Amino acid sequence: MDYFSSQISRLIEELSRLPGVGAKSAQRLAFHIIGMPKEQVESLSNAIRDAKENVHYCKCCCTLTDDDICPICKSEKRNHKQIMVVENTRDLAAYEKTQKYEGVYHVLHGAISPMLGIGPADIRLKELMVRLEGDVEEVIIATNSSLEGETTAMYISKLIKPTGIKVSRIASGVPVGGDLEYIDEVTLLRALEGRVEL
Amino acid sequence: MDYFSSQISRLIEELSRLPGVGAKSAQRLAFHIIGMPKEQVESLSNAIRDAKENVHYCKCCCTLTDDDICPICKSEKRNHKQIMVVENTRDLAAYEKTQKYEGVYHVLHGAISPMLGIGPADIRLKELMVRLEGDVEEVIIATNSSLEGETTAMYISKLIKPTGIKVSRIASGVPVGGDLEYIDEVTLLRALEGRVEL
């Protein structure tokens, strides 16, 4: 990129390292940023640095937060006896958007994957077990419906069962609005197995 | 976004202001950035700020650069008697990628658009006319093939003709690899009008 001067090339290069940002869109973003008002650029640059500097794991549920304890763990409105286990903070956000779940969360930051060499000790399971020593009634396992997610769910359920705490798994089935014709066989079978009486 | 703490929400908000970045991808980018090594985050944050601070218009061709004079205008290998007029630095980059054009450029930073209230005085035309007082043999107009680009091309050609300098316009026609069946009528007509003898 000799035709761009060094600072522009550097910005394009940095941006193109982000996920889903190819060479063309990095260039587009770079020129957009250069054309933005100075205060907005400062604000973007600072937000990036500040988030990295100040965000860490919540001491209770391990989600990403800039407080010691995240807003959900701190909230008195939530049911702290019900813990939903998710793989990452994005999954937590997805459930929060439903605005219906009133329990709290536990973020594993990964899933067990023998293929990738990720074992139970590499995810935040120990922290979950410590929480279960308190007053907990139910653990809802909401890991992904992938091989890794299922493996993790099985592992956690076997780990918790002996403690007598109720363990559940979110339902697998046909997505709402889904067209049966386009849904894979495994999901269809799961939906059949999980059928509920009307 | 109460479920994210303030620094994460702020970063997502800043990122979602960028073109082509929706709420979902802003969230994905934000968590990716938080998970990146600290040095990489610093480097991205600084690249954004530095580019905005140091990039300005080249004193000669008006492209974006962090030098006084851009690398192309400085180069002795380029033919400074041939000036290609483009709408913005991205268009310059597109022609540079061909690696065949050996002249220099002039970047207008826009195109004449009566609809948007952009007149000849709002684009870098005055700077082009000053350059033409020097030793220039040809001006190649490579503005976009849109209404605004064509208007600008017409305007510039009328402005330059009296000076006796050769003015040309890049060809309009069927893109290489293009399937005639899917090309619009105006382009097909242009391709016919611009036919060359074999």
Side-chain angles (χ1 to χ4, degrees), chain A residues 2-8 10-11 14-15 17-21 24 27-29 31-38 40-55 63-67 70-72 89-94 96-97, chain B residues 2-8 10-11 14-15 17-21 24 27-29 31-38 40-55 63-67 70-72 89-94 96-97:
Chain A
D2 297 340
Y3 39 95
F4 291 135
S5 48
S6 57
Q7 305 259 13
I8 304 180
R10 193 181 128 213
L11 179 56
E14 290 287 345
L15 290 170
R17 284 195 196 141
L18 297 174
V21 179
K24 267 263 154 85
Q27 190 179 303
R28 185 168 160 231
L29 286 175
F31 284 111
H32 178 86
I33 288 169
I34 291 167
M36 268 164 34
K38 196 161 191 280
Q40 272 185 37
V41 176
E42 285 287 334
S43 171
L44 171 64
S45 164
N46 292 339
I48 290 172
R49 213 196 22 241
D50 294 352
K52 179 66 192 175
E53 255 170 34
N54 302 320
V55 172
T63 191
L64 293 165
T65 179
D66 47 311
D67 302 313
C70 77
I72 295 171
T89 303
R90 292 189 301 282
D91 297 342
L92 176 158
E96 279 302 283
K97 276 196 195 111
Chain B
D2 298 341
Y3 41 94
F4 292 135
S5 48
S6 58
Q7 305 259 15
I8 304 180
R10 192 180 130 215
L11 179 57
E14 289 288 344
L15 290 169
R17 285 198 195 138
L18 297 174
V21 180
K24 267 263 154 85
Q27 189 180 303
R28 186 169 160 229
L29 285 175
F31 284 112
H32 179 86
I33 288 169
I34 291 167
M36 267 163 38
K38 197 162 191 282
Q40 272 185 36
V41 176
E42 283 287 335
S43 171
L44 171 64
S45 166
N46 291 339
I48 290 172
R49 214 195 21 242
D50 294 352
K52 178 66 192 174
E53 254 170 35
N54 302 320
V55 172
T63 191
L64 292 165
T65 180
D66 48 312
D67 301 314
C70 77
I72 295 170
T89 303
R90 291 190 301 281
D91 297 342
L92 176 157
E96 278 301 285
K97 277 195 195 115

Side-chain angles (χ1 to χ4, degrees), chain A residues 24-166:
Chain A
K24 267 263 154 85
S25 40
Q27 190 179 303
R28 185 168 160 231
L29 286 175
F31 284 111
H32 178 86
I33 288 169
I34 291 167
M36 268 164 34
K38 196 161 191 280
E39 315 81 64
Q40 272 185 37
V41 176
E42 285 287 334
S43 171
L44 171 64
S45 164
N46 292 339
I48 290 172
R49 213 196 22 241
D50 294 352
K52 179 66 192 175
E53 255 170 34
N54 302 320
V55 172
H56 43 246
Y57 292 165
C58 166
K59 282 188 177 160
C60 177
C61 74
C62 299
T63 191
L64 293 165
T65 179
D66 47 311
D67 302 313
D68 264 5
I69 303 288
C70 77
I72 295 171
C73 287
K74 238 187 269 177
S75 168
E76 284 176 10
K77 286 183 192 155
R78 314 290 299 229
N79 175 4
H80 291 262
K81 294 182 178 175
Q82 197 175 39
I83 300 179
M84 180 185 281
V85 178
V86 292
E87 289 185 24
N88 56 52
T89 303
R90 292 189 301 282
D91 297 342
L92 176 158
Y95 255 102
E96 279 302 283
K97 276 196 195 111
T98 66
Q99 297 188 319
K100 293 289 181 197
Y101 177 65
E102 291 179 337
V104 293
Y105 295 89
H106 189 84
V107 181
L108 296 174
H109 292 285
I112 297 170
S113 168
M115 287 276 286
L116 297 171
I118 300 170
D122 300 315
I123 58 177
R124 302 276 155 166
L125 256 181
K126 212 170 56 190
E127 287 84 349
L128 175 64
M129 297 316 286
V130 171
R131 287 178 76 184
L132 298 187
E133 288 165 15
D135 187 10
V136 176
E137 282 170 358
E138 183 178 5
V139 173
I140 303 166
I141 307 178
T143 52
N144 286 334
S145 195
S146 61
L147 182 63
E148 292 78 14
E150 294 292 352
T151 310
T152 310
M154 289 291 285
Y155 186 90
I156 296 177
S157 94
K158 277 189 188 158
L159 211 61
I160 299 177
K161 280 254 172 83
T163 65
I165 296 169
K166 186 178 165 192

